[in-house]
Amino acid sequence: MAVYTKESKINEPIFEDPSIMAVINRFGLYLGVGDKSIGESCEKHGIDTDFFLAIINTYLNPDYLPEKIIDKRYLGLMVDYLEKTDKYYKDIQLPNIDRHFNLLLRNESESISAESQSNLELLNKFYAEVKDEMNHNITTETEFWFPLIRHNCQEAKKLIRIGEGEFKGVRLELPFDHSGLEDKIRDLISFFVIHLKGVKNHNLLMAVVSAIFVLEKDIKQNNRIRNRIFRPLCEN
């Protein structure tokens, strides 16, 4: 898999994997990026090139290990990126799934027959549990962990040890390991793929499942960023 450098064209990673566009958006870059190099585009938009490359390469390449992003000055940039990621989940991706799922439920409730009962309501309940856990994680990070990290950066203090501390009276847990949530989303997808029954509107169903697949991929690849960039920055 390609490893991008500052000489690479800014459009190359988008052609490789269009899902990277959601990541690039978090840097303030949108479709219509042109054919400038990554270095030129980052300079034009005031983006730290090394940080940008570390993020997109880690997101796209499971074998990539970032080497340059070890200085504490990158911690603030990392928090900014993760805040925008959490906001994207809360304001864009989850509402998108909600809209499609609610429309599917309404459509199925009108068309379903007594002989063909679906288990869609059960899957919706499981999805609601996943969404609640996601929103809890986002709230914990945006209201407690990220302000704490910013405060420590501003005060030039060493960060509290991971998982050991309170902030605003709340006991903090690890902010990085979202693997449990990742597993639950994978289970949810598996239920759709393997155990779903009785659904009539397959176009709406595909819209729901496709949106959940997109969310699962983004969380999985951003967990890689958390583990390979964010955690080391906090622990060093």
Side-chain angles (χ1 to χ4, degrees):
M1 189 170 290
V3 173
Y4 295 100
T5 68
K6 64 181 181 179
E7 287 80 23
S8 303
K9 297 291 186 181
I10 187 67
N11 55 45
E12 289 178 22
I14 301 172
F15 284 118
E16 177 186 335
D17 185 345
S19 71
I20 196 66
M21 201 61 236
V23 175
I24 292 176
N25 288 168
R26 293 161 200 164
F27 288 89
L29 298 175
Y30 302 93
L31 287 177
V33 294
D35 62 353
K36 293 181 180 296
S37 70
I38 288 176
E40 291 171 328
S41 296
C42 286
E43 182 178 0
K44 177 181 177 180
H45 293 276
I47 299 168
D48 186 287
T49 305
D50 288 337
F51 182 71
F52 180 86
L53 288 169
I55 293 294
I56 65 167
N57 281 316
T58 303
Y59 185 91
L60 291 171
N61 193 335
D63 298 321
Y64 179 79
L65 294 174
E67 297 177 352
K68 294 184 177 181
I69 311 299
I70 57 175
D71 192 289
K72 284 292 187 186
R73 67 189 176 93
Y74 289 109
L75 189 52
L77 294 177
M78 191 71 250
V79 169
D80 288 343
Y81 172 82
L82 291 177
E83 278 186 328
K84 291 173 182 175
T85 302
D86 282 347
K87 181 175 175 60
Y88 181 68
Y89 294 155
K90 185 175 182 179
D91 295 347
I92 304 297
Q93 286 193 301
L94 289 175
N96 182 50
I97 297 172
D98 289 345
R99 283 192 298 272
H100 287 102
F101 217 145
N102 290 335
L103 184 58
L104 178 62
L105 287 167
R106 288 197 301 271
N107 182 273
E108 291 299 310
S109 67
E110 295 169 358
S111 64
I112 199 163
S113 66
E115 295 80 21
S116 179
Q117 294 293 323
S118 80
N119 54 1
L120 195 59
E121 288 286 356
L122 182 62
L123 291 178
N124 186 47
K125 182 178 179 181
F126 186 22
Y127 164 66
E129 293 174 3
V130 171
K131 183 172 70 171
D132 286 346
E133 183 171 337
M134 279 194 68
N135 283 323
H136 172 75
N137 288 347
I138 290 170
T139 297
T140 299
E141 290 185 342
T142 57
E143 294 188 6
F144 301 105
W145 269 110
F146 295 158
L148 174 61
I149 292 171
R150 280 206 173 95
H151 172 75
N152 285 353
C153 288
Q154 291 169 358
E155 297 295 325
K157 296 176 181 177
K158 183 178 178 60
L159 285 168
I160 61 172
R161 288 180 59 81
I162 301 301
E164 296 181 5
E166 293 185 357
F167 188 61
K168 297 182 180 179
V170 175
R171 182 70 181 176
L172 299 176
E173 300 175 354
L174 283 174
F176 314 110
D177 187 4
H178 290 188
S179 58
L181 178 61
E182 188 179 321
D183 291 340
K184 286 183 180 179
I185 296 176
R186 173 53 55 174
D187 287 342
L188 177 62
I189 291 172
S190 295
F191 281 128
F192 273 105
V193 172
I194 299 171
H195 302 293
L196 182 67
K197 62 181 182 180
V199 173
K200 303 294 185 183
N201 193 319
H202 295 288
N203 287 331
L204 278 176
L205 176 61
M206 283 301 299
V208 173
V209 176
S210 296
I212 296 174
F213 265 113
V214 170
L215 176 64
E216 187 261 350
K217 179 178 181 179
D218 199 71
I219 287 177
K220 177 181 178 180
Q221 292 174 222
N222 272 296
N223 280 346
R224 190 188 301 150
I225 289 171
R226 288 171 176 272
N227 289 324
R228 295 187 183 176
I229 301 178
F230 190 32
R231 179 188 288 272
L233 282 172
C234 286
E235 291 179 335
N236 286 341

